[in-house]
Amino acid sequence: MNADEIAAGRKRWQDRYDAARKRDADFTTLSGMAVAPVYGPPEGVDHPGFERIGWPGEFPYTRGLHPTGYRGRAWTIRQFAGFGNARQTNERYKMILGAGGGGLSVAFDMPTLMGRDSDDPQSLGEVGHCGVAVDSAADMEVLFDGIDLAGVTTSMTISGPAVPVFCMYLIAAERQGADLSRLDGTLQTDIFKEYIAQKEWLFDPEPHLRLIGDLMEYCAGEIPRYKPLSVSGYHIREAGSTAAQELAYTLADGFGYVELGLSRGLDVNVFAPGLSFFFDSHVDFFEEVAKFRAARRIWARWLRDVYGATSEKAQWLRFHTQTAGVSLTAQQPVNNVVRTAVEALAAVLGGTNSLHTNALDETLALPTDESAEIALRTQQVLMEETGVTNVADPLGGSWYVEALTDKIEAEAEEIFARIRQLGGEGPHEIGPMTSGILRGIEDGWFTGHIAEAAFAYQRALEKGEKKIVGVNCHTGTVAKDLEILRISHEVELEQRRTLGERKAARDDAEVSAALERMVAVSRTSGNMIPAMLDAVRAEATLGEICDALRLEWGVYREPARF
């Protein structure tokens, strides 16, 4: 790009920056030195390839979605939390919000993630242990008691039974008297990554895609601010993928959901802003920064050039980040505070829109109040003390960062091409990327490549080529054992007792009729969300809703592979 074009871009950025709202904050260094809101090439100098870097708030958004960077709005501190029953988790939410958290993120227990009630025999011993137990809309009411759902953004990390859980969230908000059309937040709902990495599915892919398409339609028409899909790379990376694989598999899944929306006749400029992303921030600092910058650039280009998006918001890749749980160690767990801080800084310098920081004890148990507070304060130290909010994309233009961004992008593009090739000559009716994803799931292509990457890293650790402090180097320590959070068995007994009381108090005939109507709609091309909401209003439980659909659609069983 020549100097005149760069100057014109700087002028466009300046005009947009001047017109944008900025936070009332001190944007000088610790020593009081004034800094510019963005930096670029020196005036009058050509910079070949600068169009791939650009200016914040301008296509291809390598440097961020907004001209102001974090001067306009800092990232949302969204701490992931959930344990025991709804009452206990409600207390943790109030602690997080009271301590300065800006949004909520719900962690569910394993029975809920698998669409099972707490009194299901398969739930025995798991209730409340890795997240909060939610069996019905009544639990959701308790979970958010005293928290204005119309005034706080809420993320829910659940995919297989995401749609009925979301319906419970809507009914809880309805019972608060909230205007549902103004609700804001994110539902994960990403079923592709379940088959690729996390394994928390209910049905075959097709019924899940049916429900997701219904949800996209419903939210686009009724709850426009709510994001019905958070396409998740986090679990792909936690399963052992490389950074480039995480990026490519995640964006490919996103393209599949774009194809799903288009196949439903939806306007890409209307539904694409409702797609968000969820990435892992691992401990290799510069690789992670480059990954986030490449993600924005790839998404903007594909949405514009492949899927026809013409609005800026439809081309924006908005993403939440969580620091890498897989990087935490049980050995010398206090070291995890340092790892988490480095990972959080990488996410911030990569331009994350919201962030969760892991607690130091999460490799051993769910976080205690103290460790959860340390995790929260980690973000607040970065936000308030380090000056990272002063300048948009401060690493932009670094030879290393730009080269790494280009390299990760090129690797991702090669993977996209291979995924599309998997679809063969007869693409799926939804679209060619969807065809390749489904074939890759069926053939074990994704899981095979992730397993190879994980194996290569493990071998490097065992050979000492890669280092983890406290594990294969610097293993001596004076640290003492941590006090960890333990979930009492009484939580499960109480949850099952409460569920039994609620079932006894409801109108079973009304529940049965509502479930029958929901299944009847599933046999048509109609949208299932209104019928599912009616079932939830009647206090149908999560397990009852999912079991009714299991009887109709069957269950998915992963093929055996050797």
Side-chain angles (χ1 to χ4, degrees):
M1 181 176 283
N2 65 42
D4 289 342
E5 293 170 319
I6 292 172
R10 185 188 292 272
K11 175 65 165 56
R12 288 193 304 272
W13 168 82
Q14 188 69 59
D15 290 344
R16 297 182 74 173
Y17 177 83
D18 291 343
R21 180 180 299 176
K22 272 79 73 177
R23 292 186 294 120
D24 182 14
D26 175 18
F27 296 119
T28 64
T29 70
L30 188 65
S31 304
M33 183 187 301
V35 293
V38 74
Y39 288 83
E43 292 186 17
V45 175
D46 293 347
H47 194 299
F50 187 71
E51 66 278 0
R52 292 172 55 76
I53 303 172
W55 300 96
E58 187 170 286
F59 186 91
Y61 307 106
T62 308
R63 306 192 69 185
L65 304 181
H66 305 291
T68 53
Y70 293 132
R71 287 194 180 198
R73 179 180 177 182
W75 69 90
T76 299
I77 298 175
R78 187 183 303 284
Q79 289 299 94
F80 187 46
F83 65 95
N85 58 33
R87 176 186 51 77
Q88 293 169 307
T89 300
N90 175 263
E91 292 171 359
R92 176 65 63 85
Y93 288 164
K94 288 175 178 175
M95 184 273 281
I96 290 171
L97 293 173
L104 299 176
S105 182
V106 185
F108 296 98
D109 70 356
M110 186 57 68
T112 306
L113 291 170
M114 299 304 297
R116 301 284 178 185
D117 285 340
S118 296
D119 59 0
D120 188 305
Q122 294 190 47
S123 302
L124 185 64
E126 295 292 339
V127 175
H129 279 271
C130 68
V132 62
V134 172
D135 292 314
S136 69
D139 281 322
M140 201 68 86
E141 285 185 87
V142 175
L143 185 63
F144 295 109
D145 181 50
I147 298 170
D148 180 12
L149 289 177
V152 65
T153 60
T154 305
S155 170
M156 291 186 282
T157 302
I158 189 166
S159 293
V163 177
V165 165
F166 180 64
C167 288
M168 292 174 186
Y169 170 80
L170 292 184
I171 297 307
E174 182 179 88
R175 291 171 181 174
Q176 283 188 359
D179 179 354
L180 300 191
S181 68
R182 297 188 60 79
L183 293 179
D184 194 357
T186 305
L187 186 68
Q188 189 164 98
T189 332
D190 177 8
I191 203 61
F192 285 144
K193 65 91 179 174
E194 297 296 342
Y195 301 109
I196 291 172
Q198 199 174 22
K199 316 298 185 182
E200 290 166 0
W201 55 67
L202 275 66
F203 322 113
D204 286 342
E206 298 290 351
H208 276 298
L209 291 175
R210 155 74 186 276
L211 280 172
I212 293 169
D214 286 354
L215 182 67
M216 291 171 68
E217 285 182 355
Y218 188 84
C219 287
E222 304 293 332
I223 319 173
R225 297 170 64 182
Y226 203 90
K227 299 167 187 63
L229 265 164
S230 176
V231 190
S232 177
Y234 185 84
H235 307 94
I236 293 169
R237 190 66 178 282
E238 294 286 293
S241 78
T242 66
Q245 286 172 337
E246 176 198 358
L247 176 62
Y249 297 172
T250 306
L251 294 188
D253 290 349
F255 299 146
Y257 296 125
V258 171
E259 292 176 351
L260 176 61
L262 292 173
S263 75
R264 290 293 191 104
L266 299 176
D267 182 346
V268 69
N269 291 311
V270 174
F271 75 80
L275 302 177
S276 66
F277 289 80
F278 173 24
F279 289 114
D280 197 300
S281 189
H282 220 299
V283 76
D284 190 318
F285 182 81
F286 289 104
E287 183 173 57
E288 296 306 294
V289 172
K291 179 186 74 180
F292 299 133
R293 298 171 82 251
R296 277 192 299 270
R297 187 158 75 201
I298 294 168
W299 184 256
R301 186 177 65 252
W302 274 67
L303 264 288
R304 185 190 70 176
D305 298 345
V306 178
Y307 297 114
T310 56
S311 75
E312 285 192 337
K313 288 187 176 181
Q315 297 168 10
W316 286 355
L317 182 141
R318 303 170 183 82
F319 69 97
H320 171 73
T321 309
Q322 180 172 340
T323 56
V326 74
S327 74
L328 305 180
T329 64
Q331 302 92 327
Q332 301 180 25
V334 175
N335 296 346
N336 294 331
V337 176
V338 181
R339 294 185 179 101
T340 295
V342 170
E343 293 161 1
L345 182 59
V348 169
L349 293 182
T352 192
N353 302 106
S354 65
L355 178 61
H356 164 86
T357 32
N358 289 327
L360 66 95
D361 51 358
E362 285 191 62
T363 191
L364 301 168
L366 293 168
T368 63
D369 285 347
E370 181 181 8
S371 66
E373 182 179 85
I374 293 170
L376 173 64
R377 295 294 186 234
T378 299
Q379 293 202 48
Q380 291 169 330
V381 168
L382 289 177
M383 186 180 290
E384 305 294 351
E385 298 183 27
T386 64
V388 293
T389 62
N390 291 351
V391 178
D393 189 34
L395 297 181
S398 156
W399 291 338
Y400 178 40
V401 170
E402 297 301 349
L404 201 52
T405 302
D406 291 346
K407 182 172 179 57
I408 290 176
E409 179 182 13
E411 287 188 29
E413 289 290 349
E414 291 176 2
I415 293 172
F416 297 149
R418 291 201 292 273
I419 293 172
R420 290 179 67 134
Q421 288 171 0
L422 289 173
E425 297 298 321
H428 191 275
E429 61 183 5
I430 291 176
M433 190 65 82
T434 303
S435 180
I437 292 167
L438 293 175
R439 182 60 184 268
I441 290 167
E442 180 182 348
D443 292 351
W445 185 88
F446 295 102
T447 53
H449 282 283
I450 292 171
E452 289 174 5
F455 179 68
Y457 178 66
Q458 184 61 34
R459 291 210 43 193
L461 284 177
E462 292 173 1
K463 291 179 179 179
E465 296 166 354
K466 299 291 185 184
K467 307 289 187 184
I468 299 178
V469 173
V471 177
N472 66 351
C473 65
H474 310 296
T475 54
T477 182
V478 296
K480 297 178 175 58
D481 290 343
L482 293 175
E483 289 292 326
I484 62 173
L485 178 67
R486 301 183 187 278
I487 304 300
S488 167
H489 181 57
E490 181 60 32
V491 168
E492 181 168 329
L493 297 178
E494 180 185 347
Q495 184 71 14
R496 295 176 64 164
R497 185 164 53 247
T498 300
L499 178 58
E501 291 170 356
R502 288 172 180 164
K503 285 181 176 179
R506 68 188 184 178
D507 185 332
D508 285 343
E510 183 183 3
V511 172
S512 296
L515 290 172
E516 289 173 5
R517 287 194 298 272
M518 180 191 72
V519 171
V521 175
S522 77
R523 296 169 181 159
T524 73
S525 60
N527 193 298
M528 291 181 62
I529 305 302
M532 193 173 289
L533 284 168
D534 286 343
V536 169
R537 284 190 188 95
E539 287 300 320
T541 67
L542 178 64
E544 289 168 338
I545 292 170
C546 293
D547 283 346
L549 295 176
R550 286 184 182 102
L551 285 173
E552 183 67 19
W553 290 336
V555 296
Y556 177 76
R557 301 198 184 281
E558 188 174 26
R561 299 186 180 92
F562 302 95

